[in-house]
Amino acid sequence: MNRILTVAPAFVVFLLCVSCDSDQGEAPVGAGKEPASTSRTQTQYRPAFGDILVRGSISDASVLLPALAHDLFSSKIANLVYNGLLKYDRDAQLVTDLAERWEISDDKLRLRFQLRNDVRWHDGRPFTAADVEFTYRVYIDPKTPTAYASDFLRIKEFRTLDDYTVEITYGRPYAPALASWAKAKILPKHLVEPFQITECPLRTHPVGTGPYCFVTWVCGDRIELEANKDYFAGRPYIDRLLIKVIPDPATMFLRLKAGTIDQMTLTPMQFKRQTESRFFKENFKKYHFAAFGFIYLGYNLRIPKFQDKRVRQALTMAIDREGIVKGVLLGMGQVAHSPYKPDTMWYNPNVKKWPYDVKRAEKMLAEAGWKDTDGDGILDKDGEPFVFTIITNQGNEQRKNAAIIIQRDLKKVGIKVDIRVLEWSAFLKNFLGKRRFDAVLCGWSLDVDPDQTELWHSTMVNEHQLNHVGYQNPEVDRLLELGVSSYDPVERKETYDRLQEILAEDQPYTFLWIREELDIIHSRFYGIESGPMGTDYNFEKWYVPEELQKRSTSVH
């Protein structure tokens, strides 16, 4: 399972995080015309090597070693520098990557991967089965502070049959097994083994097998990658990728318009109203697609006031989520009632939906013992006022504005809310990671597989794990185990439908909205194919026709 914290409107998502349109990815919206100096159509251009893509990002990476990367942006960088044994194609189907082929036994207990024998690490050393086994052992090492160990702790035996063949035996059938080997980016044994994983130089200077090689990382400013000329799947067309960290979306938009960046994620206002001019239609293409992920308000269940589910249900009913979608997202989204993507088979359309109902919320809070006994306008219980702080990340106007609306809505029912906006790395490490929060407004990017063990299982509540709200429910634990042990989609569907029913009742989160990706890319870039996996899945195939190339040296 892949659960990634999202910074932009991703668990990316991550992925899983996995983010949603009804058609799982459209053709470009408002696709740009060719520059006025040429009348050639896209089909008349040939792929060419060269140029630099400058991408704006509201946040920086936290770490560049995949086993330690829990946020969407860090994972996106890792996906370009490293490979898994498998990967997802445009249509969210698993295909080969470092593995040349795979076999699964009839009893679903054994996986055998035949690896490619033509892959080299960026330092020139050959990739072998020893790297795969080493990566597995890194993930299961209790000294590795990773959120993704659960996939690999289910392995009963790992065997290296020869330099390019591995066989993996599970103690019981594990449905997300293949997906886990797409998520796990393989690490270079010869470079990581000499170090403690938390002190490994690859945390900041990664060396992988992927389509792009690391060049530089200036924290808070930029990350630069260059094309791997020896990439086993063919040299990427675009020479360099430069990611510029620009925390303010308005400033980033001005740089897009000025031509100093080529790609960014738009706000709904920018997408719907500020990019409809002739200039943008002639010079850019917009993409609007469903992402696997959602935005939520999560309650720290270690705090007594949030431990009564009636209180959490009341909070959800007191928040005008439709108003947030209309006012903050300008209708570009939908209210979330579940942690599953509505246009997938795993979503339960009959899940309980808590309406916006202030009167009912007030009644439920009173039943839970929260009343304004001193007439100051704030509910209290046993002498404690109902006051709490929402933390969220800097640079995301949607989340900040949603927090302001939530603050206003909860004031109506007698709850005082403070808002604290934090720089992304501090938000992750010092608050979310250490469980130092009352409530958090954040997002998940999710994997294609429906397993959500890392988010909800009671064993995932510790530091560096993803159940940061501390949710524990024995029935949910049982359903999560049942869901991963069956390969039958009908059985899995029944299991995850029931899981959603319990989560809807317990409300460990107020599920706010389903994420949509609003991307804009300069129209000189070709080869972009939007689909269920978004646009980045085939970045190494993007290109700029020679006649349209703009940059030949690094941009800073």
Side-chain angles (χ1 to χ4, degrees):
M1 185 201 81
N2 196 2
R3 306 291 175 258
I4 305 174
L5 280 169
T6 61
V7 190
F11 139 255
V12 48
V13 336
F14 156 64
L15 82 246
L16 13 287
C17 29
V18 2
S19 329
C20 283
D21 283 349
S22 60
D23 65 354
Q24 298 189 47
E26 304 172 342
V29 177
K33 300 176 183 178
E34 294 310 316
S37 60
T38 177
S39 60
R40 292 190 179 192
T41 64
Q42 179 167 339
T43 56
Q44 292 173 303
Y45 285 126
R46 292 183 178 181
F49 297 108
D51 215 329
I52 297 168
L53 186 143
V54 183
R55 178 180 291 171
S57 173
I58 64 170
S59 66
D60 201 354
S62 59
V63 63
L64 300 181
L65 195 59
L68 308 180
H70 302 154
D71 62 284
L72 182 62
F73 184 68
S74 299
S75 297
K76 282 189 172 184
I77 299 298
N79 288 343
L80 292 171
V81 176
Y82 294 89
N83 297 89
L85 298 187
L86 305 175
K87 64 181 180 180
Y88 287 104
D89 67 8
R90 177 189 182 277
D91 299 313
Q93 299 298 312
L94 286 168
V95 296
T96 57
D97 199 6
L98 290 176
E100 196 170 56
R101 61 182 180 274
W102 75 85
E103 300 171 2
I104 185 165
S105 63
D106 291 340
D107 61 7
K108 304 297 190 293
L109 294 178
R110 289 191 310 280
L111 281 177
R112 180 175 291 186
F113 290 104
Q114 184 66 43
L115 308 178
R116 297 183 66 118
N117 61 9
D118 59 350
V119 179
R120 291 189 174 274
W121 294 99
H122 293 160
D123 65 355
R125 291 280 291 269
F127 157 77
T128 70
D131 297 304
V132 181
E133 181 172 4
F134 173 75
T135 300
Y136 155 69
R137 302 204 179 280
V138 166
Y139 272 98
I140 64 171
D141 187 339
K143 295 179 182 178
T144 302
T146 182
Y148 308 126
S150 61
D151 286 326
F152 306 100
L153 290 170
R154 298 173 185 275
I155 293 172
K156 182 179 179 180
E157 183 182 17
F158 189 107
R159 298 175 61 208
T160 299
L161 304 185
D162 58 43
D163 283 348
Y164 295 100
T165 312
V166 297
E167 185 176 86
I168 301 155
T169 303
Y170 291 82
R172 57 189 296 188
Y174 184 53
L178 287 174
S180 72
W181 288 104
K183 171 183 64 179
K185 305 306 174 187
I186 306 303
L187 306 176
K189 178 181 178 181
H190 65 289
L191 294 177
V192 179
E193 190 174 36
F195 301 93
Q196 288 287 340
I197 192 73
T198 54
E199 299 173 0
C200 179
L202 272 66
R203 294 179 72 256
T204 55
H205 292 75
V207 176
T209 54
Y212 281 83
C213 304
F214 175 78
V215 177
T216 187
W217 180 15
V218 180
C219 289
D221 180 56
R222 68 185 185 273
I223 294 176
E224 191 165 359
L225 308 176
E226 66 180 359
N228 178 5
K229 296 179 175 58
D230 299 316
Y231 187 47
F232 63 86
R235 181 202 191 282
Y237 288 112
I238 296 173
D239 279 345
R240 291 205 171 199
L241 172 65
L242 174 63
I243 299 101
K244 292 286 293 179
V245 180
I246 308 170
D248 178 37
T251 300
M252 193 187 306
F253 187 72
L254 290 175
R255 294 192 185 182
L256 179 82
K257 192 172 183 178
T260 59
I261 65 172
D262 303 305
Q263 180 183 6
M264 67 175 286
T265 296
L266 298 172
T267 66
M269 178 69 74
Q270 291 166 345
F271 191 93
K272 291 190 77 170
R273 300 178 185 174
Q274 296 177 3
T275 51
E276 289 300 298
S277 67
R278 180 177 177 181
F279 168 79
F280 279 102
K281 291 182 177 180
E282 289 182 348
N283 291 282
F284 293 91
K285 296 176 184 177
K286 295 193 294 185
Y287 298 84
H288 177 202
F289 56 87
F292 286 87
F294 61 92
I295 307 300
Y296 65 93
L297 179 65
Y299 306 106
N300 191 337
L301 303 180
R302 303 166 187 83
I303 297 174
K305 65 166 59 78
F306 294 126
Q307 290 174 355
D308 188 333
K309 72 178 180 181
R310 293 175 298 178
V311 170
R312 302 192 299 269
Q313 293 167 352
L315 291 171
T316 295
M317 287 191 293
I319 297 171
D320 183 5
R321 292 178 291 164
E322 288 284 359
I324 291 174
V325 169
K326 291 177 182 177
V328 175
L329 306 182
L330 302 183
M332 302 194 76
Q334 55 184 300
V335 171
H337 302 286
S338 156
Y340 287 88
K341 196 166 178 275
D343 53 352
T344 66
M345 69 171 289
W346 306 114
Y347 179 70
N348 181 356
N350 301 314
V351 71
K352 187 170 185 176
K353 299 172 177 63
W354 296 95
Y356 176 50
D357 191 331
V358 175
K359 294 297 182 184
R360 188 177 169 194
E362 290 174 334
K363 181 180 179 182
M364 195 171 291
L365 287 166
E367 290 172 352
W370 291 95
K371 301 176 182 179
D372 182 8
T373 61
D374 55 10
D376 66 351
I378 300 175
L379 301 180
D380 56 85
K381 180 180 180 181
D382 300 328
E384 179 189 2
F386 205 140
V387 177
F388 70 93
T389 299
I390 295 173
I391 64 168
T392 193
N393 61 284
Q394 185 183 57
N396 193 310
E397 290 300 306
Q398 292 179 36
R399 294 181 189 176
K400 186 176 78 171
N401 291 336
I404 292 170
I405 292 175
I406 291 170
Q407 180 186 54
R408 179 202 67 192
D409 287 346
L410 294 184
K411 182 178 181 181
K412 295 176 184 176
V413 297
I415 297 173
K416 183 177 185 297
V417 174
D418 296 315
I419 300 169
R420 189 171 183 185
V421 180
L422 301 162
E423 185 272 330
W424 178 246
S425 61
F427 172 80
L428 284 181
K429 297 175 184 177
N430 301 331
F431 292 87
L432 209 57
K434 297 183 183 299
R435 282 46 173 154
R436 293 172 51 205
F437 65 92
D438 299 331
V440 55
L441 203 164
C442 198
W444 288 116
S445 179
L446 304 175
D447 198 9
V448 176
D449 189 272
D451 175 38
Q452 295 192 2
T453 296
E454 280 117 336
L455 296 191
W456 309 115
H457 201 282
S458 61
T459 61
M460 299 294 165
V461 299
N462 299 315
E463 190 172 346
H464 306 301
Q465 294 179 316
L466 303 186
N467 184 356
H468 47 247
V469 298
Y471 178 63
Q472 299 184 63
N473 184 314
E475 178 64 8
V476 165
D477 288 353
R478 186 188 71 81
L479 289 167
L480 290 168
E481 290 298 324
L482 184 63
V484 299
S485 65
S486 173
Y487 275 76
D488 184 335
V490 175
E491 289 181 2
R492 294 193 87 193
K493 168 66 174 168
E494 292 174 353
T495 300
Y496 293 117
D497 277 358
R498 177 60 185 146
L499 172 69
Q500 291 168 77
E501 292 169 1
I502 296 174
L503 293 175
E505 175 67 20
D506 283 355
Q507 290 291 292
Y509 295 170
T510 290
F511 298 100
L512 293 174
W513 70 84
I514 301 298
R515 292 204 307 114
E516 295 188 0
E517 295 288 359
L518 311 176
D519 212 3
I520 189 167
I521 307 170
H522 197 280
S523 57
R524 76 179 190 279
F525 292 93
Y526 287 78
I528 304 168
E529 297 179 358
S530 180
M533 296 305 294
T535 56
D536 280 354
Y537 74 94
N538 73 332
F539 180 71
E540 67 272 18
K541 300 298 183 184
W542 295 15
Y543 66 93
V544 179
E546 190 172 357
E547 301 94 318
L548 304 179
Q549 290 185 10
K550 177 180 177 181
R551 298 187 175 99
S552 58
T553 58
S554 183
V555 181
H556 298 296

